[in-house]
Amino acid sequence: MMCDSPIEVHKDSKKHSFWRTDMKSVPGRSMGSPRKDVSRGAGGAKAKDSFKDFQEETKDAWDDGDDDLIQMANIRMSLRDVQHTALQVINKHSQQQQQQEEDVSNHGDHSPESAQNNSAPGTPSNGTHPGTPRSANGPGVGVRLNSHHNVPSATPLHLRQKPVQDRQNSKVDKFKTLLETPHLDLDELKTISWSGVPKQYRQTAWKILSGYLPPTLDRRTLTLERKRQEYYNFIQQYYETRHHEVHQETFRQIAIDIPRMSPLIPIFQQSTVQKIFERILFIWAIRHPASGYVQGINDLVTPFFVVFLTEYIHNDVEIENCALGNLPEEQLGALEADCFWCFSKLLDGIQDNYTFAQPGIQLKVDALKHLISRIDAKLHQHLMQHNVEYLQFTFRWMNNLLMRELPLRCVIRLWDTYMSEAEGFASFHLYVCAAFLSRFSQDLLRENDFHGLMLMLQNLPTHHWDNEEIGLLLAEAYKLKYMFADAPKHLDKKR
Amino acid sequence: MGTKDDEYDYLFKVVLIGDSGVGKSNLLSRFTRNEFNLESKSTIGVEFATRSIQVDGKTIKAQIWDTAGQERYRAITSAYYRGAVGALLVYDIAKHLTYENVERWLKELRDHADNNIVIMLVGNKSDLRHLRAVPTDEAKAFAEKNNLSFIETSALDSTNVETAFQNILTEIYKIVSQKQIRDSPDDENSPSNNVQTITVAPTDNSADKKQKCC
């Protein structure tokens, strides 16, 4: 799919991503090669420069949004280098900050463009290290990497108020332009989607990010037609077999689970909707006999369904209450097929979560345990002391990808990022879980018996959560991934 | 109710098992919170709740583990049988298949739980009289044959829910107190970290109980 792009585009994409995802070299480590011009992707200036070099090159290393973070996703880097660089960044900032005597409470007035004034207000000026939970825009993370940005702007990660609106608008423009490009650069789409996709572009962006739609604009319509037809054929071919003895049990289980899927959201109580889910799940299950249908994966269709439905609903009708029976058959069919394919793509990446004995989940729970023991030793000790086992409460986090722990709106936002990350639903999810647990550290430390801990862990207070909380969670998760994912020795103690 | 009452004389771990959709979670929520949801979400993995009751002037804290019913989960959920002194094996009186599967659940318990676990067979949804598919007598006979206690409940209208838990906890209590097992905790001592100690009940030399479960 990605191979369809003509050569021009490839060149172009080099300009955009200074850190190539397929890069073999290790930034942050001394390369012994002379420093190269990193300011533009001029000529063959490939991404050979070290992280340190780059850091020196940039005037101000604080990022102005989550957008650029994704670009670092696949970089390998040692913890020492991260910390060292982080320290340098912090020092530089402390100095700048002192010079400017910036009033922290003023920061809402700065526009993203006013680079000098925005040296990360609100960021601790010293004493911060990559493990500090509060510093979501932590050192070593919020580093500008886009070589095509000439003047690094220096807005704090979570600047709110007025500038947010501006940024939103410019983001919407970016999506509009990008999605209408004849040959879309997938990396670029991931980059801008990482920090959240504007609602109106989400359904297209997700379909492309899932690998369901091709990046090439004029092939999309054809692909849709072909894939939808393919799915309709599946229905013809397989759905009748639901009453055959071999599939009876599968279908029975699906039929039990669907009505109680999202009991409080009216749209999921409509029989049209329930039938759609039944078919999607049944067909997926019998086409994937190694796992089959496993309770919980039904939840995973929901975000696709809700997001893709926006294509057919206008004038801001509340999705929760929209009557699906009013939609033309053809649209319903298309909606169902699209959900099926994207859901399939998602599960392809995490199928070992659902095969016999669910090895994927067991491994991840184990990894989470060791991660927490590294990043939040106090909490880990506390849980151990009270005999709380990670499997007891995180099984569901893994099996349902936190969908039972977060409001649907947050899950949708979370998935913007998962789809933009390499192995987002598989490995990045682990770091999100770690950040999630750690976030409630203080509350959990106050519970001093097994019962209190378990009850809290089963009902973590997230009802009020919104994009803001998810943004912080993701930044923290990103930081963890950055520190641990590519330094497997950090987690070596586990086995 | 009363999850914070940290003073108790005994702490018993009880598991809820049985096919998917028979009403395990609602039995739990009815007993511990007096709540019922017609369409409650499926249980993933295990869920947990507690409630304390009085038996013979003693405070008994029940730590109840609700498990997912789907077969796929058994590899994981069977880990939760460890240390359980009681099991409510639930079926749906309106769905014969869930009753037929009781045999398999019993085997599951024999394989993974302690030999001396106290088992109660529970026919839930007794409010669905017109849809009854499992005759009470048949289930009762089956229970007797297998040395299980038996009750029919309705989490929806509350019938017998309290009694079911009360009975199984009392039964466990009797066994435990008769045995005078190691520590029946004195007064204030019982913080959660004797979760392990509670599992007391099973002692291997209890001949009378052996026959009960096997």
Side-chain angles (χ1 to χ4, degrees), chain A residues 189-309:
Chain A
L189 180 62
K190 287 181 182 173
T191 304
I192 62 171
S193 300
W194 202 96
S195 57
V197 182
K199 196 179 165 195
Q200 64 269 44
Y201 295 113
R202 190 172 266 135
Q203 55 104 3
T204 312
W206 277 23
K207 284 171 191 166
I208 298 171
L209 290 169
S210 298
Y212 173 48
L213 277 188
T216 309
L217 184 62
D218 60 13
R219 293 185 55 236
R220 284 182 208 153
T221 316
L222 255 163
T223 306
L224 278 180
E225 280 173 16
R226 190 169 50 82
K227 296 303 275 185
R228 285 171 181 169
Q229 191 52 51
E230 199 179 334
Y231 175 71
Y232 303 149
N233 294 343
F234 286 163
I235 298 182
Q236 294 269 308
Q237 190 183 345
Y238 299 115
Y239 197 56
E240 283 309 306
T241 69
R242 66 189 185 279
H243 301 302
H244 293 186
E245 207 179 328
V246 272
H247 299 318
Q248 236 173 14
E249 180 50 35
T250 299
F251 191 73
R252 196 183 66 88
Q253 187 67 61
I254 292 171
I256 291 175
D257 287 348
I258 301 277
R260 51 183 183 163
M261 200 164 42
S262 299
L264 298 177
I265 306 180
I267 188 171
F268 295 111
Q269 299 311 315
Q270 296 174 27
S271 75
T272 315
V273 177
Q274 297 193 349
K275 289 275 173 266
I276 289 176
F277 274 73
E278 268 177 21
R279 284 189 295 265
I280 293 175
L281 291 166
F282 179 73
I283 288 165
W284 186 87
I286 63 170
R287 284 176 49 81
H288 295 81
S291 58
Y293 173 74
V294 176
Q295 286 188 302
I297 65 174
N298 52 332
D299 279 2
L300 307 183
V301 184
T302 335
F304 291 118
F305 184 82
V306 169
V307 167
F308 295 168
L309 186 57

Side-chain angles (χ1 to χ4, degrees), chain A residues 303-480:
Chain A
F304 291 118
F305 184 82
V306 169
V307 167
F308 295 168
L309 186 57
T310 57
E311 189 179 348
Y312 308 106
I313 308 274
H314 302 291
N315 306 326
D316 269 353
V317 176
E318 288 271 306
I319 292 238
E320 289 87 341
N321 301 309
C322 138
L324 231 67
N326 299 338
L327 289 183
E329 284 283 308
E330 194 195 334
Q331 292 186 353
L332 285 174
L335 171 65
E336 180 175 334
D338 295 351
C339 287
F340 172 82
W341 287 114
C342 290
F343 168 72
S344 301
K345 296 271 184 195
L346 161 63
L347 287 180
D348 283 349
I350 51 172
Q351 220 192 325
D352 64 344
N353 280 2
Y354 306 108
T355 49
F356 181 75
Q358 308 192 257
I361 291 184
Q362 304 213 38
L363 280 173
K364 278 169 214 158
V365 169
D366 205 32
L368 178 64
K369 179 177 172 177
H370 288 90
L371 192 54
I372 296 294
S373 75
R374 294 297 308 269
I375 62 163
D376 197 342
K378 209 170 159 189
L379 176 62
H380 178 73
Q381 285 298 321
H382 187 65
L383 295 176
M384 294 296 99
Q385 187 195 338
H386 295 291
N387 299 309
V388 176
E389 287 175 32
Y390 283 76
L391 191 66
Q392 287 164 348
F393 64 95
T394 60
F395 181 85
R396 190 170 73 188
W397 296 11
M398 302 300 173
N399 194 75
N400 290 38
L401 297 175
L402 287 177
M403 285 195 60
R404 292 286 181 93
E405 327 304 320
L406 296 170
L408 188 56
R409 60 178 180 276
C410 294
V411 171
I412 289 172
R413 167 62 195 88
L414 187 67
W415 283 24
D416 288 342
T417 305
Y418 280 7
M419 290 197 205
S420 311
E421 271 279 341
E423 299 194 349
F425 294 96
S427 58
F428 190 66
H429 178 66
L430 173 66
Y431 299 98
V432 171
C433 287
F436 185 65
L437 179 58
S438 193
R439 158 137 188 170
F440 295 99
S441 204
Q442 294 308 313
D443 303 305
L444 291 165
L445 288 171
R446 275 193 292 273
E447 293 294 333
N448 47 25
D449 67 12
F450 175 84
H451 301 120
L453 280 166
M454 278 307 294
L455 290 176
M456 174 172 270
L457 285 165
Q458 286 178 163
N459 299 291
L460 290 166
T462 60
H463 317 288
H464 63 286
W465 275 33
D466 221 319
N467 285 354
E468 194 177 317
E469 284 81 6
I470 296 297
L472 285 168
L473 185 72
L474 286 166
E476 190 62 29
Y478 186 81
K479 205 169 69 183
L480 292 174

